[in-house]
Each structure stands twice: as C-alpha cells, then as structure tokens.
Amino acid sequence: MSWFQRTTSIPPLQFGATALVAGGLTAAALLSYQHIRREEAIQDLKASIPELDNNHQGDQLTNFGAASPPRDAKSELVLSKEDKRSAELAARAQNGDYDDELIFEQLARNRVFLKDDGLKKLREAFIIVVGCGGVGSHCAAALARSGVSHIRLIDFDQVTLSSLNRHAVATLADVGTPKVHCLRRRLQQITPWVHFDLQNQLFCSKEAESLLGPWNGRKPDYIVDAIDNIDSKVALLEYCYKNNIPVISSMGAGCKSDPSRIFVGDISASTEDPLSRSTRRRLRAVGIASGIPVVYSTEKPGPGKAQLLPLPEEEFKKGSVGDLGVLPDFRVRILPVLGTMPAVFGYTCANHVILQVSGYPCEYVPAKGREKMYDGILAQLQGSEEKIIRATTPGEDAQGLKLAVTALDVGYVVEEVYRGKSVISGVPTRLALVRWRKPSRSPINLGIAGQKTSTVQLRDLVCMTKEEATLHEREVTVALVEARIQEEIGYEKYR
C-alpha cells in the first residue's frame, strides 16, 4: 500500500478533506449567487433611469461642464417673479424706454465728480471684463454702477458655495449657475439700462480675436484682466499689448491681507507676488517687459500668514497631478483668499478704468525705480568680463568690449530668476551679477574684425552682493544656484 493510500484511509483526515471540499463548494456557490444578484441590481438601476430628451437639463451643460440657466419647455429662462420683473424692466430700458432723468439722478455723484463730459465718455464706453470671480465681479459691479453702459463679461466658470465669500452679487440661489449670467441678472436689478454681452467660455489665445473683438461695430475702450490662470492671463495681456488695446491687469489677491499695500503701477515694478512674477517672466519671454498697468500688492509673506500649501504626498502617488484639475493646466490646490481683498483689487481696477476713460487727471505714486540699479549692475558686469578676459587671454586688453546683455536682461535675471536678492544670503542690496563658473571656452569672440564681444550668457550669471562676489571662487553654494539655473532653463522654451 502506498503512502498516499495509507494516509487517506485515516478517518479523521477523510472527514477533514470532505469538510474542506464542501466549504469550498459552498463559498463558490455564495460568491456566484452574490455576483448574479449584483448584476441584476445594476441592470434594474440602469432600467430605472429615464432616457434624456432634447429638453433635459443634463444636455444643457456648457463645454466646460458648467450648468446652464434653467429653461422651460419653450427653451426660455426660468426666472423668479422678481428676476422676471427686473429682466422686463431691463429690456425696456435698453430699448430706450427709461427716463434719462432717473439715470442722471442715480449717477448724480459721479456726474458732479467727473463733470458732464467725463460722464458722457463713461456712458458711451465699451468695457470688457475677463474673469468674473472675486476680482472681476466687484470690478464689473463698480463699472455698471458708475455709468458704463456696454459691458462684455467673459468667464467659463459657475458660482459655487465657496465663491460666496468674495463674489460681489452672488446669492445662494445663484450657486450652480454661470458667473456671467449671475452678474447680469443681479446688476440689471441695479442698473437696468446697462447692455451686457455674455460669453460663457474660457478665454484662450485662439479665441482672443473673437472674444475681444467689436460689439455692434465698436471696439473695446478698455479691458480688465481678472484671470487667475497663468496661461490665459499671459495670452490676454500679450494680445492686448500687441494690438494696442488698453488693459489693466489684476495680480494675485490670494494670501494678501493688507489693503494699504495695494498699488497701481507698471508690471515691471510689481513685487512680492507669485502670479505677478510668473506673468512678468512669461511676458518677457515674448518680448514684453513693461507697458502694462497692473494692480498688485507689495505685502510680503511671513510667519503666521496664509500661504499656498503643497499638495499632499498621497495625491502625487495617485498619478499625474495635472489630472486633478478641473481643466488642463489649471491649479489643483486651494488658494487661501480673505474675502475682502479681491474686492479691493476689483474696485481698484474699476477705478483705473473710470479715470482713464473719462479723462480724469490721475498720477499714481510710483514704485521705487530700479533702472539705475540695473545700469550699475551692467557696468559692474562689463568690468568683471574685462578682468576675466585680460586674465585668460594673453595679450588682450579687452578695450571696447561689448556685451550681448542689456539693462533689461539684467532686470530679468535679478528680479525673475533670483527674486531681487542674493542667492547666497538673500540680501537685496548692493547686488552684482558674476559668472558662476570659470569659462569652459574663450570668454571673448573675435570673429568679427574690429569687434570684441564677450561670450557670457544669461544662464552663466548668478546674483550676489558685491562683497559675496569677491569671495565667490572660495565660498560657493552650488545647490542653491543650480536649482535656480535649472528653473530658468525650464522657462527658456517661452523666450
């Protein structure tokens, strides 16, 4: 008798094997039964869902998944009684059935301030507000209340519960509706004579010409940029700049809390703002270094102040972080915003537009100029390059040396790459640009007869204080500088 036969003939083992086989068969039967019941439940659930007809609200979402305003069987907007009365009044007012004396009485304070000629210009103006969130909604509301009669609103997004801490006019009843529709509906209750052109879509470069184009044959008098997405923002500002369309841009209101530090100035002067820094950097890459007025805050981050927190590590483990955004290239983290600050930014934008359009005299307090500092750094760099050439090129005196670097380039490297501070100590004064490494090739180009040109490039330069520059070859911090250089290489694709 074999070992297997002897073993299986033992009664306890026989009972155990039988029980094991029976248990397996029972488990398999139960799992099969549960699977069948689950499939039946799924089919029953699917069968209970009605087919969507052409009038179903589910088919009326925008291309970006935002809700369209509710409509009845005749595809007409479903409004409350109050909203319906306001819409009817607005329709009559926009057709001329509204007493001008009532309008002038409502605008009496503006009329006294701007005079009749200034108010007339404002009432005839066509203004475009791009972005109707916290900043844009307050700006649009101020423009309508101040007398602007033709306003185009551009935004793809819808009102959310979290919008209500900073939106100018949205209520709980507006949650889930497009921001542009919400603004028009509420502002028509205040200024029924204002004509609104609504564009419920995302601004992008390929749509710039149509979205910023004429309305009834009239070109826009001014454009307000209240966008918080960097790609759309840069596309808008580049288009306006290159097509000579007046524009005012709002920089970041997130993480800001001090309204006394909000200024209006050229984009080249804006500081202490990540959105402003990224916008400047991208605009410089397409040849725009200045000439765009912006609203910005000089408030510095500090201990205890709000900041954009990094995305949790578990989110990175799920895959591509970009897939977490509502749209491609949109931020995926919540930006801390004090509800009052977007309003200040928005009203500042509106104030600028009102003054510019009406012709009211205005002279903003200028930010401290740094052009002289850039010229000084450039002169210092010139001297440094001449010393290097004399030390490495026998018989060359480097007289008449030319640099392929301008004062604007110096400003770009100092402000955008090194944040206006020494990469070693963080000191923002007595700055200098020096080569980070010893040149691996000849530091001078003599290829053109009679011309001496330094071979130094922007990526070769590092920002230090003058004192640190003299100790550069003995005391260096490679890691800090390499990180900034790699960051700049990443931005070169936009230049």
Side-chain angles (χ1 to χ4, degrees):
M1 182 181 291
S2 67
W3 175 86
F4 179 76
Q5 290 174 327
R6 290 196 304 271
T7 302
T8 55
S9 65
I10 301 174
L13 291 179
Q14 291 176 344
F15 286 124
T18 302
L20 182 62
V21 172
L25 292 174
T26 302
L30 287 173
L31 291 174
S32 299
Y33 175 75
Q34 291 174 351
H35 175 73
I36 293 172
R37 291 289 296 169
R38 192 160 45 242
E39 288 297 321
E40 290 177 349
I42 292 173
Q43 294 303 321
D44 290 342
L45 181 61
K46 289 181 177 180
S48 68
I49 300 175
E51 295 292 331
L52 302 185
D53 56 30
N54 293 332
N55 294 321
H56 196 279
Q57 187 69 20
D59 285 341
Q60 298 176 15
L61 298 179
T62 67
N63 292 335
F64 308 104
S68 296
R71 298 177 182 273
D72 58 22
K74 297 180 181 180
S75 296
E76 296 181 355
L77 291 176
V78 177
L79 302 174
S80 66
K81 290 183 178 180
E82 181 182 356
D83 289 344
K84 188 174 182 179
R85 285 195 300 269
S86 299
E88 291 172 351
L89 176 61
R92 293 200 307 270
Q94 292 164 23
N95 287 325
D97 185 15
Y98 200 86
D99 193 340
D100 272 355
E101 289 302 318
L102 293 177
I103 298 177
F104 284 130
E105 176 62 25
Q106 188 166 338
L107 300 175
R109 299 298 187 272
N110 281 41
R111 187 179 184 184
V112 173
F113 193 95
L114 299 173
K115 310 303 182 186
D116 285 342
D117 185 53
L119 183 60
K120 182 175 183 293
K121 293 177 181 177
L122 200 60
R123 290 195 63 196
E124 294 175 348
F126 165 31
I127 310 299
I128 300 177
V129 180
V130 189
C132 297
V135 175
S137 64
H138 283 279
C139 179
L143 292 173
R145 291 173 184 268
S146 298
V148 177
S149 297
H150 293 83
I151 302 175
R152 177 178 293 164
L153 303 174
I154 303 174
D155 199 310
F156 77 96
D157 206 0
Q158 58 188 348
V159 178
T160 63
L161 273 175
S162 65
S163 304
L164 301 184
N165 85 313
R166 58 195 182 278
H167 199 278
V169 296
T171 68
L172 280 171
D174 297 309
V175 171
T177 63
K179 291 178 178 178
V180 292
H181 290 282
C182 165
L183 264 176
R184 179 180 64 178
R185 183 165 60 253
R186 299 306 174 198
L187 293 181
Q188 280 182 344
Q189 297 173 353
I190 304 169
T191 55
W193 62 84
V194 176
H195 297 260
F196 290 98
D197 178 31
L198 308 185
Q199 300 295 328
N200 185 203
Q201 62 184 98
L202 175 69
F203 182 89
C204 59
S205 56
K206 65 180 181 180
E207 301 291 343
E209 186 173 355
S210 61
L211 290 176
L212 305 181
W215 182 13
N216 294 331
R218 174 156 189 175
K219 295 181 179 179
D221 295 284
Y222 230 95
I223 293 176
V224 177
D225 162 35
I227 305 172
D228 59 2
N229 171 257
I230 185 64
D231 290 335
S232 298
K233 195 175 199 72
V234 171
L236 171 63
L237 296 179
E238 180 183 2
Y239 183 88
C240 291
Y241 183 89
K242 293 182 177 179
N243 288 275
N244 297 314
I245 303 175
V247 63
I248 175 81
S249 177
S250 172
M251 295 293 108
C255 301
K256 305 297 183 183
S257 60
D258 187 350
S260 69
R261 295 180 182 273
I262 295 176
F263 294 90
V264 179
D266 191 84
I267 191 169
S268 61
S270 57
T271 59
E272 301 300 337
D273 176 17
L275 179 60
S276 175
R277 183 184 305 119
S278 298
T279 303
R280 287 198 315 267
R281 197 165 191 170
R282 292 278 296 273
L283 287 173
R284 283 179 184 268
V286 295
I288 303 173
S290 61
I292 297 176
V294 298
V295 178
Y296 66 99
S297 170
T298 59
E299 182 180 356
K300 300 177 182 294
K305 289 190 175 182
Q307 58 182 327
L308 182 61
L309 298 177
L311 204 65
E313 183 64 28
E314 55 266 23
E315 297 296 342
F316 285 94
K317 295 178 180 179
K318 295 178 182 178
S320 175
V321 176
D323 294 339
L324 302 176
V326 177
L327 291 174
D329 300 322
F330 268 61
R331 68 172 185 264
V332 297
R333 294 178 289 174
I334 296 177
L335 187 65
V337 180
L338 189 63
T340 54
M341 295 305 286
V344 180
F345 275 73
Y347 281 117
T348 305
C349 287
N351 187 80
H352 178 83
V353 172
I354 292 168
L355 298 183
Q356 295 297 311
V357 170
S358 65
Y360 192 86
C362 174
E363 185 176 349
Y364 296 116
V365 176
K368 185 177 180 180
R370 294 168 72 87
E371 288 76 16
K372 290 185 178 180
M373 183 185 77
Y374 301 154
D375 290 335
I377 293 176
L378 182 60
Q380 171 270 330
L381 178 61
Q382 174 88 23
S384 175
E385 286 299 296
E386 290 176 357
K387 291 179 182 178
I388 291 175
I389 290 171
R390 286 195 292 268
T392 59
T393 309
E396 181 55 61
D397 58 9
Q399 290 186 358
L401 180 70
K402 298 182 182 300
L403 269 64
V405 178
T406 67
L408 286 177
D409 294 328
V410 170
Y412 174 79
V413 174
V414 171
E415 305 293 354
E416 312 302 339
V417 179
Y418 293 102
R419 315 291 195 264
K421 302 173 183 178
S422 163
V423 73
I424 295 175
S425 63
V427 173
T429 57
R430 291 181 56 79
L431 298 178
L433 289 179
V434 295
R435 284 183 181 260
W436 172 235
R437 300 183 183 86
K438 180 179 179 180
S440 58
R441 55 193 176 97
S442 174
I444 187 171
N445 183 358
L446 301 173
I448 300 177
Q451 177 173 299
K452 303 175 183 178
T453 307
S454 169
T455 60
V456 68
Q457 299 180 19
L458 296 186
R459 65 168 60 183
D460 299 330
L461 302 175
V462 60
C463 184
M464 305 178 180
T465 65
K466 293 179 180 179
E467 292 76 12
E468 291 163 352
T470 61
L471 301 174
H472 171 49
E473 292 189 0
R474 285 180 293 168
E475 300 176 3
V476 294
T477 52
V478 177
L480 286 173
V481 178
E482 286 293 345
R484 293 290 172 82
I485 290 175
Q486 290 302 317
E487 180 183 8
E488 166 54 17
I489 291 175
Y491 272 92
E492 281 191 348
K493 62 183 179 181
Y494 300 111
R495 290 181 67 81

